[in-house]
Structures are given as structure tokens and as C-alpha cells.
Amino acid sequence: MKLFTTTAVTVVLSLILIDFVSTQLYQKSINWDNRAQGQYTDAMAKADFGSVSGWKNDRASISDGKLRITLRKNALGGESGIISNTRIPDGSAYELDFDVRFHSQFDWSRGGKVGFGFGIGNRNTGCNPPKDGAGGTLRLMWYNDNKRVYFIPYVYYYGMPGQCGDKFGKSYPSTGSIEKGKLYRVHMYVKSNTGNNANGHVQIKINGEVLIDQSIRWTTNDSKRLINNLSFHTFRGGSEDHWKSNVDSMIYYDNLSVRQISK
């Protein structure tokens, strides 16, 4: 005696598949090993990332299986490098890892934004603090204080003390300088908070050493609490002229991995 009809079995299997797909969490890994030497175009970036905005074909190329970004001389912000964003599925926790290396002839100037990061809700940047509690961002900078050069966190969140990204008084390394030509492995973790609670989290580790690791109140508007953006911001600045350089300089990226931890 048949217990199930073919139609019934098909329906059950379809429901199982739908449930399986709905519970999958976003993951993306890119290492550029299979990309040919030369220009890395907007079309290539979209093929690799799935979606991307703000790409600059004349500043991105592939060199020995790595993504190379050229920072243009005498320019700041988007005119000097790339300010690109990729929409990712809404999630309450994400982490990422990537490698970064400054060219052996890199000019530090004053500093700038470097590498990948996350956006929450309205994704505030540009010295626009989220006073409405509806957005935040986690990014990384390099900074030259004329004594040493180091990485700093650059974070926008509700209640931040100034107009521009909060650095929390943190630096990597804690003494001495980062080095040209050296590979740095960056790990970031971000978790949303709920309501007006400081039960979110922010973490950055570089070569396994903690740069920042603490609780945080990203937002107060629960409709804007979720992480929704993967940023790739690589440019000089700051806004004043002393952030500029009079030479072109290059930064290399590799082994990007992005993982959604929870919806």
C-alpha cells in the first residue's frame, strides 16, 4: 500500500528545500588568484562581490593574484581611491577577515581609510554622527602622527563623543609602527544591539592582537539595527591638505572572507 503519492512526496521535499534555503547564512570568499594580471573592472568586481557600487576602474588592478588599489596623488576621499559598498543580507552579527599590505614605497602622508568594514542601518560616515540612533559603521584607518604610523578603529555609533569616527584611544601596534611591505591579517566582528541597550559588540584584531574588543550601543532604532553593508573604503583623508600625498601609492588586498553569524 502506498503511504504517499508522488505529489505528496514532491511537496514535502519542496518544503524541506525551502526551509533549508531560508536558514542559510551569507558567506563570501574572494582571493583573486584566478584573475589575470591587469585592470580589475567594475564588471569583474560585480561578478566577484555579487553587487558593488562606487568602483573606479582606473585605480583597481590585479597583481600576482592580489587586488591592488592605487591611491592618486594630490587628492583626498573618493578622488584619491575607492569608496565602494556591497549590499549584504540583513543580519544581527557578521565577521570578516582580509589581508592587507602597503607597497614598499608607500607614502604614509597623514593617513586614510583602509580595507573592508561593515555598515549598520543608515551607515553613517563623513562626520555625520547618528544622533537619531539609526545607523553606524565599523572601518579601519592607518594614521601617521609624525612619530609613528599605526592602525586605528574608526567607528560611528549612537552616543559617540565627536562629529567624526571614534578611535577609542586605541592603536595597533600599541608601540612602534606598522611596516611597509609587511602582511597584516585583519579580523572584524560586529554584533547589533537591541533597543537602547549597549549589548552590541565591536571587535578588531590584527595579526591576532586585539585592537578593540568591547560592548557598544550601535543604534536605538530597532528598525535600523541590522548589519546590511560590506564596505571597501581605501582612500586618503581626512579633508585638510596635509592628508594628501604628492605621489601615487599602492595597497594590496587578498583572502577576503565574510560570514554572517546570525540573522
Side-chain angles (χ1 to χ4, degrees), residues 84-121:
S84 177
N85 294 287
T86 294
R87 182 73 170 84
I88 55 177
D90 289 354
S92 60
Y94 267 92
E95 64 180 355
L96 65 76
D97 295 273
F98 66 91
D99 295 333
V100 59
R101 175 171 59 86
F102 296 89
H103 189 274
S104 60
Q105 300 301 313
F106 190 85
D107 179 20
W108 296 121
S109 65
R110 175 64 75 183
K113 313 303 185 296
V114 56
F116 297 90
F118 288 115
I120 299 167

Side-chain angles (χ1 to χ4, degrees), residues 49 79 99 115 134 158 160 173 204 206 208 224:
F49 286 91
E79 294 302 311
D99 295 333
Y158 180 75
M160 56 188 284
I204 303 176
I206 301 177
K224 298 287 188 177

Side-chain angles (χ1 to χ4, degrees), residues 36 38-40 57 59-63 66-70 250:
Q39 190 178 60
Y40 184 70
N57 292 350
R59 301 165 208 176
S61 59
I62 301 299
S63 175
K66 296 173 178 58
L67 174 60
R68 182 177 68 193
I69 303 300
T70 298
M250 293 175 289

Side-chain angles (χ1 to χ4, degrees), residues 27-30 95-99 116 118 185-188 230 254-259:
Q27 293 189 56
K28 175 72 71 173
S29 295
I30 307 173
E95 64 180 355
L96 65 76
D97 295 273
F98 66 91
D99 295 333
F116 297 90
F118 288 115
R185 182 68 173 169
V186 178
H187 173 80
M188 290 184 174
L230 172 68
D254 203 3
N255 299 317
L256 170 66
S257 178
V258 185
R259 296 169 297 280

Side-chain angles (χ1 to χ4, degrees), residues 138 187-190 201-205 210 212-214:
L138 171 61
H187 173 80
M188 290 184 174
Y189 167 76
V190 55
H201 207 89
V202 54
Q203 182 189 79
I204 303 176
K205 294 181 180 180
V210 172
I212 185 171
D213 187 5
Q214 64 183 66

Side-chain angles (χ1 to χ4, degrees), residues 19 22 29 33 42-43 52 68 71 73 78 87-88 112 133 160 162 172 178 181 187 199 201 208 213 215 234 255 263:
D19 183 64
S22 67
S29 295
D33 286 347
D42 175 79
V52 67
R68 182 177 68 193
L71 301 187
K73 63 184 179 182
R87 182 73 170 84
I88 55 177
M160 56 188 284
Y172 172 92
I178 56 176
H187 173 80
N199 60 354
H201 207 89
D213 187 5
S215 299
T234 298
N255 299 317
K263 291 183 177 291

